[in-house]
Amino acid sequence: MVQKLLVTAALLAGTAMTVVHAQSAEPPAGSFAEGNLRYIPTSGTTCAVNGYESAPKGEMIIPETVKNGAYTVTSIISSAFQNCKALTAVTMPCSMNLIGPDAFRGCSSLTSVTLSDGLTDIQSSALAECLQRMRESEIGDIRERYRRP
């Protein structure tokens, strides 16, 4: 079951960290593009979203599988969508279980994120500096759900 949770940066902002932005000139070896998104295999049957071909605008839906079902999308790597200022909404598949650090940092137009029940880890600052336009009353208490042991 997919739950629509609206999250503010205040809930998920962690400590600042220095990371290399996912949109480097040379994609990592083994990575591939499908649609506007780039992926990198993480096992023989799973992959992670590791960036995009052109900056996403409006609503973005991350697919559950890519390469004609050969890979299940299970994570988003660090900084994958950092500073995508025109991104307004994100829908993640049921297979998604991890959102890396700074994945959506600085996505200042982002107003909603649809997370799946399969999501087990939202890492530090994943949604920092975004979702400012959300109302506190719209925010579910997800801190407990994604707390690290």
Side-chain angles (χ1 to χ4, degrees):
M1 176 176 143
V2 176
Q3 287 182 284
K4 188 163 188 174
L5 299 175
L6 304 175
V7 186
T8 65
L11 278 175
L12 295 177
T15 59
M17 36 179 23
T18 304
V19 292
V20 175
H21 195 275
Q23 305 313 311
S24 61
E26 289 296 318
S31 68
F32 61 91
E34 186 167 301
N36 190 39
L37 299 179
R38 288 195 330 227
Y39 303 89
I40 188 161
T42 54
S43 78
T45 59
T46 63
C47 69
V49 178
N50 74 328
Y52 49 83
E53 294 294 296
S54 63
K57 298 175 182 173
E59 182 179 359
M60 176 177 65
I61 299 172
I62 298 173
E64 187 153 352
T65 62
V66 290
K67 289 267 189 175
N68 294 319
Y71 292 101
T72 301
V73 180
T74 59
S75 58
I76 301 171
I77 70 160
S78 64
S79 304
F81 300 102
Q82 188 170 10
N83 295 318
C84 289
K85 304 283 187 206
L87 186 60
T88 60
V90 177
T91 300
M92 296 182 200
C94 292
S95 58
M96 186 68 63
N97 60 38
L98 179 136
I99 302 173
D102 301 308
F104 295 97
R105 176 183 281 280
C107 295
S108 55
S109 296
L110 195 58
T111 58
S112 73
V113 179
T114 302
L115 306 172
S116 79
D117 284 340
L119 189 63
T120 57
D121 195 0
I122 298 177
Q123 296 187 348
S124 68
S125 303
L127 295 165
E129 302 167 20
C130 59
L131 300 173
Q132 293 98 335
R133 298 185 333 197
M134 309 275 315
R135 290 189 320 240
E136 194 66 33
S137 62
E138 296 175 314
I139 298 168
D141 182 13
I142 64 166
R143 242 186 240 184
E144 192 63 36
R145 181 177 174 190
Y146 299 108
R147 183 190 316 262
R148 292 188 177 181

